[in-house]
Amino acid sequence: MKALLNISRSFWISTNLLLTICPLMGQIKKAGSVPQEDYKKWSTLRITDLSNNTKWTAYSLSYETGEDTTFLKNTEGKIKTAIPNIKNGLFLKNNSFACLMTNNRFLFYDLEINRKVYVDSITDFQTGSNHIILRKKNADSSTSVLIYDLNGTLLKEIEDIDFYSLSPNGNKLACSQHSDRSYLKILDLGKKITLTKLSVSAQIHYKIIKWHNKGKGVLFVGCPAKFKNTNFSELILYKTAEKKIYHYNIGSDKNFGKKNFIEGRYLNNLCVSEDLSSVFFIVKEIRDPEPEKDIDAIQVWNAEDKDLFPRRKAHGYNNEDFHLIQWTPETGRTKRIGNKENPRVILNGNQKFALVYDPEKNKPSFKQKPDLDFSILDIQSGEISPFLHGQPNTGLTKTMSFSPNGQFIVYFKDGNWWLYSFETKSNINLTKSIQSSFAITKTQYGISTFPYGFAGWTQNDKSLLLYDEFDLWEFSTSSFEVKRITHGREENKIYRLANYRSEDFSILDFKAHTLVPGHNFILSVKANDNSKSGISFIDKIRKLQSVFYDSAYVSGVKKSGNENNFIYLQEKFNIPPKLILKTQNKNPYIIFESNPHHKNYTWGHSQLITYKNSKGILLNGTLFFPAGFDTEKTYPMIVNIYEKQTFRLHKYMNPTLLNGSSFNISNYTNNGYFVLLPDISYELGNPGYSALDCVTSAVEKVLREFPVNQKKIGLIGHSFGGYETNFIITQSKLFSAAISGAGLSDLNSGYLSFNQNDYLPETWRYESFQMRMGSTLFENYEGFQTNSPISSAANVFTPLLSYTGDKDTSVDPAQSKELHLALRRLKRKHILLIYPNEDHVFTNKKNQIDLTSKSSEWFEYYLKDGPKLKWMEAQ
């Protein structure tokens, strides 16, 4: 083996010498790798905004200390202004900059003439179409609303305002005011500000304001002023064009009793319909105080219960005291949408139809969430028609979408995308005749529930866009003509929308993403093996245009106005993030380079490697080289495992002790380690052995070709990677030390447990999710045993450091304790760290530093012959 390593090493040196000479020469005068005391120098670069004329960029730098500064920089010169700790910074239409500073100070900054306007005591601001709206907190604790134009001139102040809301189009402002009398005010923010005052009862205090999505009407929700809670009883709808007022009081509605109230705490629960004919709201029932519970009462757990006893005790059932109501202002009538059999409702794009269902119907379920049976409700006629049976309930926003204008619903079922027309009541299988698969199979979960994704609709519901593995496809909703917009399969590129906002079916009037060529049709691009990434866009004539594509990692893409001007972040593992500007008339150029001190230190670099597992499957891995790499030396190596991690190939990582799960690549490469991140391919029913096969194959490939000390290799993983670490060291002596964070150790007890956060059984994680067993424990009992680390704990001879948070709601801390007790009885080298008040990923800075430090010290002791510290000693 030693001879083989020497031959391989000579081969590696001869073929890579030219690649390393220049970096080594450039490192001769550097100060060496980064010491821990210098970690605080590093900052994180984030994009804030780009002005419409592209003359100005805004970006921020944040540090571990909490210090955060935003910089305004001229893209054609060196003019730069620094503003510390701002909130909501943005450029206005006239290219001025607005932000909220510390101590509640608002700044308006006209960059062209270098004029600053400050306004004190401001707690929030919004921008309208041609105005800036400021919320001012006065000395007497009252609230005023200040209206400025885009030049920073105060136009109007409205005093003693309780609540206000800017219309979605930014042209109107609605306010509620409660003093000796109650007033509702509507301000039209045109060239001249005009005011409409609605006089209402002084007994009603209006606390919630919800606009129609085009600003054609506004809804006010209130309750008697003597009540301090949010049990609302009153609705006022004001139609702005007709200037008509409609009033509703739930106490006067014969459909409800005295215990019913309007749920107005969340704007999501309110909706003014597209055509202004209806208002939708949630009604609940005031619950009587529950009698004192007998703490010694016997718990009854019935195997046929819909939910486990602890979940029923904590949450009750989903259908209790919850109704969606339609109010028709012109008639004053109300009616319930849905019924006892289908109590839950998702409104379509124009609120004419809805999906209705019962979330409790298919319980008990052994999936993460029970499948749903949907029916379609015609809201006007009340007709309910069966629609989808057994639709998976995990990630509905990924598997269905209503068209914005309300004509269609697209949904994913049985590996295909289907389109349903509300008008014709017809179903079309859109993807049946296309050879490309639209279902994800690479997760190897044993199911194909999830599609590659839905991208959005075009204007007026004319078409919709879907993803396959590589490309973006467009489907006409009238002719059903199909067009592949990108050609990633041939180019080995994956195209996805860069800025996608997924749907939220809990919002009654949510509108799906509408794609407009030349405006918001921006695509992120990456090579299938993550070796390159970039940006493209679809222009106004629907042609694909490339902005950037190279061996780097690109993120934070932001477009300016309707022109094809972009700013984005570009980085490599050994090159800190840069802010890049690409205008339609110029090639990309650098606006700002972060962490300039980086060049004063030696740094590693990253390289994509390929290897095959024992079954001949070709896989990728990412190898990170130690800082100041010397071909004449051999180095220890850390192997970090999870699933597939080649997406980290070009990501720059600040060295830091603040790591929520202990591992930081730069910390280790700067401390003289190789770091390997191998991709893992899974065989259903054999997750442990799959990880063992792929990880050892990757390590053997590295040992053959790179100068790694085969006796100084460490293994580390967190969560699922923690389980894989636990398992691998029961089967292999390849690793000299290991660290496992929040890892499973016993698949039996894990399978037969329930989550302490939501009280749902954990069976689904094993049968159809990440644990990839693909069956029940009872169908493959032997497989569960052989893939459980605890079953082979006697084979562990690798020193293991484990850690967990005592409040971990993802992996029960008992799993770590169980392995500890096993290794303790077997007299193996094992230390378990249990951190108080921490969940799955640590958030307490003190604990983050402690865990990162102890992990480093563990590997230093076993892989670099470092000192054995006091915390490692037995007590």
Side-chain angles (χ1 to χ4, degrees):
M1 179 69 178
K2 185 175 182 181
L4 176 62
L5 288 175
N6 287 336
I7 293 170
S8 299
R9 182 179 168 188
S10 299
F11 171 77
W12 187 92
I13 292 172
S14 64
T15 54
N16 291 275
L17 189 58
L18 288 176
L19 296 176
T20 58
I21 286 176
C22 291
L24 285 171
M25 290 178 65
Q27 292 169 2
I28 290 173
K29 295 182 179 179
K30 293 189 176 183
S33 57
V34 186
Q36 285 189 11
E37 58 267 24
D38 285 1
Y39 287 2
K40 62 181 179 293
K41 294 180 180 180
W42 265 259
S43 65
T44 299
L45 171 63
R46 295 184 178 90
I47 291 174
T48 303
D49 206 2
L50 173 65
S51 65
N52 285 336
N53 62 6
T54 71
K55 288 184 178 181
W56 296 93
T57 59
Y59 58 89
S60 69
L61 297 177
S62 56
Y63 294 81
E64 286 185 359
T65 58
E67 181 184 353
D68 194 329
T69 303
T70 296
F71 298 87
L72 307 180
K73 186 172 183 181
N74 189 298
T75 59
E76 297 176 350
K78 296 183 179 180
I79 303 171
K80 184 165 63 175
T81 298
I83 313 171
N85 298 317
I86 72 165
K87 293 189 291 185
N88 305 330
L90 53 83
F91 288 105
L92 306 175
K93 286 182 179 179
N94 67 347
N95 303 303
S96 298
F97 187 76
C99 66
L100 193 60
M101 304 172 64
T102 53
N103 301 321
N104 293 331
R105 199 176 198 203
F106 176 78
L107 169 64
F108 170 88
Y109 190 2
D110 188 328
L111 293 144
E112 298 299 324
I113 60 174
N114 198 29
R115 182 174 71 96
K116 296 179 181 179
V117 175
Y118 294 97
V119 187
D120 291 323
S121 304
I122 303 301
T123 58
D124 191 19
F125 79 96
Q126 294 174 278
T127 56
S129 55
N130 292 294
H131 297 82
I132 312 169
I133 314 299
L134 307 184
R135 181 199 296 270
K136 183 180 180 182
K137 192 74 172 180
N138 298 311
D140 61 359
S141 296
S142 66
T143 298
S144 296
V145 172
L146 311 180
I147 303 175
Y148 282 76
D149 66 16
L150 298 185
N151 294 315
T153 302
L154 178 63
L155 303 177
K156 192 173 187 66
E157 178 175 358
I158 311 168
E159 298 179 333
D160 294 322
I161 293 297
D162 289 328
F163 302 93
Y164 70 91
S165 177
L166 187 65
S167 64
N169 56 16
N171 292 331
K172 295 180 178 62
L173 185 71
C175 309
S176 68
Q177 191 172 35
H178 183 75
S179 51
D180 294 335
R181 287 191 55 79
S182 286
Y183 291 101
L184 306 178
K185 296 178 178 180
I186 312 294
L187 287 89
D188 195 325
L189 306 178
K191 291 183 179 179
K192 191 173 182 180
I193 298 175
T194 58
L195 171 68
T196 301
K197 185 183 291 186
L198 314 178
S199 181
V200 291
S201 169
Q203 305 304 314
I204 303 300
H205 193 178
Y206 290 93
K207 301 180 181 180
I208 301 293
I209 304 173
K210 176 66 180 281
W211 279 95
H212 176 267
N213 63 35
K214 291 187 176 66
K216 295 180 179 180
V218 60
L219 185 68
F220 298 89
V221 189
C223 62
K226 62 182 179 180
F227 294 149
K228 300 298 182 184
N229 57 26
T230 54
N231 293 351
F232 295 97
S233 59
E234 311 281 332
L235 296 177
I236 293 285
L237 175 66
Y238 178 70
K239 295 183 180 180
T240 56
E242 299 92 328
K243 296 186 177 181
K244 291 183 69 175
I245 303 175
Y246 302 86
H247 177 255
Y248 171 78
N249 177 277
I250 196 170
S252 304
D253 191 333
K254 296 179 181 179
N255 292 323
F256 301 105
K258 293 182 179 180
K259 288 189 175 182
N260 291 114
F261 67 94
I262 299 168
E263 171 60 274
R265 289 178 298 170
Y266 311 109
L267 291 179
N268 294 359
N269 294 333
L270 301 164
C271 168
V272 181
S273 69
E274 194 78 6
D275 61 4
L276 291 173
S277 66
S278 300
V279 172
F280 296 89
F281 56 92
I282 301 293
V283 164
K284 289 187 176 181
E285 185 176 333
I286 300 173
R287 295 185 181 183
D288 293 326
E290 293 188 12
E292 279 192 37
K293 294 180 180 178
D294 181 0
I295 60 174
D296 296 321
I298 296 171
Q299 298 181 12
V300 180
W301 294 45
N302 190 320
E304 296 180 349
D305 288 338
K306 289 187 175 183
D307 285 318
L308 292 177
F309 179 89
R311 182 172 175 85
R312 298 199 314 277
K313 183 179 179 181
H315 303 294
Y317 281 121
N318 288 326
N319 294 346
E320 294 178 356
D321 310 326
F322 182 96
H323 309 300
L324 178 65
I325 305 300
Q326 179 191 24
W327 168 44
T328 309
E330 293 290 349
T331 64
R333 296 176 182 171
T334 57
K335 69 176 180 179
R336 179 177 176 180
I337 306 301
N339 52 33
K340 188 175 181 180
E341 290 72 33
N342 294 287
R344 290 298 178 90
V345 182
I346 305 174
L347 296 175
N348 80 328
N350 59 13
Q351 299 86 36
K352 299 295 184 183
F353 295 89
L355 290 185
V356 293
Y357 64 99
D358 180 2
E360 304 293 324
K361 181 179 179 182
N362 294 323
K363 291 182 177 180
S365 171
F366 301 101
K367 298 182 177 181
Q368 183 180 13
K369 294 180 181 179
D371 291 343
L372 299 177
D373 296 339
F374 288 106
S375 294
I376 290 179
L377 169 67
D378 183 321
I379 290 176
Q380 183 173 1
S381 68
E383 178 187 355
I384 296 180
S385 308
F387 181 51
L388 290 175
H389 177 76
Q391 188 72 356
N393 187 20
T394 306
L396 283 181
T397 58
K398 299 176 182 178
T399 58
M400 62 173 55
S401 175
F402 286 109
S403 64
N405 285 12
Q407 300 178 66
F408 307 100
I409 180 173
V410 64
Y411 61 94
F412 187 78
K413 178 89 172 165
D414 300 329
N416 282 293
W417 283 97
W418 300 71
L419 183 70
Y420 177 83
S421 167
F422 290 107
E423 181 181 356
T424 64
K425 299 182 179 181
S426 61
N427 257 323
I428 298 292
N429 188 329
L430 296 173
T431 55
K432 181 180 180 180
S433 60
I434 299 175
Q435 290 186 350
S436 294
S437 173
F438 288 79
I440 299 174
T441 56
K442 289 189 174 183
T443 56
Q444 301 168 311
Y445 292 162
I447 55 172
S448 298
T449 299
F450 293 109
Y452 280 104
F454 171 77
W457 302 84
T458 58
Q459 291 173 300
N460 302 315
D461 296 358
K462 287 186 177 180
S463 63
L464 60 98
L465 292 105
L466 305 170
Y467 300 124
D468 71 2
E469 182 179 357
F470 293 93
D471 291 308
L472 195 62
W473 296 73
E474 183 174 10
F475 298 81
S476 167
T477 56
S478 55
S479 67
F480 309 115
E481 180 183 352
V482 182
K483 179 183 178 183
R484 185 158 63 114
I485 294 179
T486 60
H487 292 85
R489 187 171 296 276
E490 294 84 352
E491 302 166 345
N492 207 27
K493 297 177 182 178
I494 297 173
Y495 289 89
R496 296 293 184 260
L497 281 181
N499 300 304
Y500 176 68
R501 183 179 59 145
S502 63
E503 292 183 60
D504 186 344
F505 291 134
S506 69
I507 300 176
L508 291 179
D509 57 354
F510 188 89
K511 291 292 184 183
H513 199 63
T514 300
L515 295 167
V516 182
H519 175 60
N520 65 350
F521 217 143
I522 308 166
L523 303 175
S524 65
V525 192
K526 68 173 184 178
N528 191 38
D529 61 3
N530 292 292
S531 59
K532 294 182 178 181
S533 68
I535 311 162
S536 294
F537 67 95
I538 307 296
D539 65 16
K540 293 178 181 178
I541 60 173
R542 303 180 81 83
K543 285 189 65 177
L544 179 68
Q545 303 282 356
S546 179
V547 175
F548 172 84
Y549 186 72
D550 207 343
S551 298
Y553 178 73
V554 173
S555 63
V557 183
K558 199 169 187 69
K559 188 173 181 287
S560 172
N562 292 323
E563 301 301 324
N564 298 320
N565 303 313
F566 301 86
I567 49 172
Y568 55 91
L569 300 181
Q570 178 185 321
E571 64 196 85
K572 297 190 76 167
F573 175 71
N574 57 349
I575 302 176
K578 303 174 183 178
L579 180 63
I580 308 291
L581 174 65
K582 169 66 175 76
T583 63
Q584 54 189 350
N585 300 319
K586 292 182 180 180
N587 292 325
Y589 62 97
I590 299 170
I591 298 297
F592 175 75
E593 298 181 70
S594 68
N595 298 307
H597 50 270
H598 165 96
K599 65 180 179 294
N600 298 326
Y601 303 91
T602 57
W603 206 268
H605 66 278
S606 60
Q607 180 176 324
L608 191 70
I609 65 168
T610 59
Y611 61 98
K612 291 182 179 180
N613 66 5
S614 65
K615 294 178 169 44
I617 297 173
L618 186 65
L619 295 167
N620 294 322
T622 307
L623 186 65
F624 300 88
F625 286 67
F629 174 64
D630 184 346
T631 59
E632 296 300 318
K633 294 181 180 180
T634 58
Y635 293 86
M637 181 169 73
I638 307 294
V639 183
N640 174 256
I641 56 174
Y642 191 72
E643 292 190 1
K644 294 188 176 180
Q645 301 186 83
T646 49
F647 65 89
R648 295 189 179 189
L649 173 67
H650 294 306
K651 284 193 175 183
Y652 185 86
M653 181 170 282
N654 290 351
T656 178
L657 295 177
L658 301 178
N659 303 289
S661 56
S662 89
F663 185 71
N664 181 297
I665 297 171
S666 295
N667 286 11
Y668 284 100
T669 57
N670 276 294
N671 200 23
Y673 292 92
F674 272 98
V675 173
L676 172 64
L677 276 56
D679 282 353
I680 301 172
S681 177
Y682 295 92
E683 177 188 353
L684 199 63
N686 250 343
Y689 285 101
S690 297
L692 172 69
D693 181 14
C694 296
V695 171
T696 55
S697 296
V699 171
E700 288 167 0
K701 168 68 179 273
V702 171
L703 288 174
R704 287 194 300 270
E705 299 187 7
F706 301 93
V708 170
N709 186 336
Q710 62 181 329
K711 294 183 179 180
K712 298 293 183 181
I713 304 174
L715 181 65
I716 185 170
H718 175 257
S719 192
F720 186 57
Y723 155 72
E724 293 173 313
T725 297
N726 289 339
F727 182 83
I728 288 172
I729 63 173
T730 69
Q731 307 296 318
S732 173
K733 297 180 181 178
L734 182 60
F735 301 97
S736 299
I739 299 177
S740 168
L744 282 161
S745 63
D746 187 349
L747 271 59
N748 282 22
S749 61
Y751 181 88
L752 296 174
S753 66
F754 59 86
N755 188 282
Q756 296 297 320
N757 184 42
D758 55 22
Y759 305 109
L760 292 174
E762 292 283 73
T763 52
W764 64 277
R765 293 187 190 274
Y766 297 80
E767 295 176 15
S768 58
F769 197 59
Q770 191 174 38
M771 290 309 297
R772 295 175 170 90
M773 291 306 296
S775 67
T776 69
L777 168 66
F778 316 103
E779 293 167 318
N780 184 18
Y781 188 81
E782 183 178 351
F784 273 76
Q785 308 318 303
T786 58
N787 281 274
S788 287
I790 204 73
S791 300
S792 301
N795 297 331
V796 174
F797 295 97
T798 303
L800 176 65
L801 173 66
S802 300
Y803 65 88
T804 184
D806 71 348
K807 297 292 191 295
D808 193 330
T809 56
S810 296
V811 177
D812 194 326
Q815 290 283 324
S816 297
K817 295 174 185 177
E818 187 175 337
L819 183 60
H820 174 72
L821 292 172
L823 296 178
R824 172 186 171 86
R825 183 64 188 87
L826 291 163
K827 299 181 180 180
R828 301 296 193 259
K829 293 179 180 178
H830 181 239
I831 293 177
L832 171 61
L833 306 173
I834 301 177
Y835 287 83
N837 302 312
E838 291 286 10
D839 204 324
H840 198 53
V841 176
F842 295 0
T843 56
N844 181 290
K845 288 186 177 181
K846 179 182 176 182
N847 291 338
Q848 289 178 338
I849 293 170
D850 184 83
L851 176 59
T852 303
S853 299
K854 282 185 168 63
S855 298
S856 176
E857 291 160 1
W858 184 261
F859 283 139
E860 284 285 308
Y861 176 66
Y862 284 104
L863 304 184
K864 298 179 77 175
D865 300 320
K868 187 173 186 179
L869 301 181
K870 186 176 180 180
W871 68 269
M872 300 180 191
E873 299 286 354
Q875 302 298 312

